[in-house]
Amino acid sequence: MTVTPSLSYAFEIRAAVAPALHIGHGDGERTEFTPITGGTVRGPRLNGTVLAGGGDWSSTRGTVCELEARYLLRADDGAVVDVVNRGYCHEGCDTADLYDGDIRLAEAGSYFRTAPVFRTDAAAHLWLARTVFVGLAREEDTHIVIRCYTVD
């Protein structure tokens, strides 16, 4: 019996970002830090804000960018949620335009996927810390937008 997991849309994180800060170059690698300055969280399962003060550390080797973002969310009920979001971003792959309804999540030829992990002790939001998520990310102006889906 073959089983294919399904995904359910949970919420979208719109993280406002400042210009990247150059950290250094290694052997064929560029390292940068991108400050997160705020933002919003909206969706059927979670609403709130992205708190300023986190950021995204990225290492680019060739055309592949490996990222690790760390930041906090504040749910509308006041609960604070810690986020660690790792992923990859690169161009030149064999992918089509990707849509969720009318929303274009990715352009053909681009790959920007993450695996966010959430921590909180707020009873109303414990489901976040007990669920596997997949993030489909994109850039929009001065924001990184991550559409988060639960793996069912």
Side-chain angles (χ1 to χ4, degrees):
M1 177 163 108
T2 302
V3 176
T4 302
S6 61
L7 301 178
S8 297
Y9 172 58
F11 51 86
E12 189 168 86
I13 300 169
R14 298 181 68 79
V17 295
L21 304 170
H22 174 76
I23 296 172
H25 286 288
D27 186 22
E29 183 173 344
R30 182 180 75 246
T31 305
E32 296 179 326
F33 173 77
T34 303
I36 295 174
T37 61
T40 60
V41 180
R42 295 283 175 258
R45 305 235 13 225
L46 183 66
N47 289 287
T49 58
V50 177
L51 300 178
D56 179 18
W57 287 260
S58 63
S59 296
T60 303
R61 288 177 223 77
T63 61
V64 178
C65 179
E66 180 180 3
L67 59 95
E68 180 175 333
R70 183 89 190 241
Y71 51 100
L72 297 173
L73 308 176
R74 184 181 308 276
D76 281 351
D77 65 4
V80 175
V81 179
D82 177 51
V83 183
V84 176
N85 198 0
R86 294 182 175 102
Y88 292 95
C89 181
H90 56 88
E91 302 294 325
C93 54
D94 186 22
T95 60
D97 284 341
L98 182 60
Y99 287 87
D100 188 350
D102 293 335
I103 299 171
R104 186 163 102 183
L105 300 177
E107 293 182 35
S110 69
Y111 183 92
F112 193 176
R113 309 288 190 272
T114 69
V117 175
F118 302 92
R119 293 187 308 172
T120 186
D121 66 356
H125 305 292
L126 286 177
W127 69 275
L128 289 164
R130 299 174 178 166
T131 304
V132 173
F133 290 84
V134 172
L136 301 179
R138 64 190 186 278
E139 293 183 46
E140 285 186 4
D141 300 319
T142 59
H143 290 77
I144 298 298
V145 182
I146 305 162
R147 198 156 176 92
C148 296
Y149 296 84
T150 60
V151 179
D152 302 325

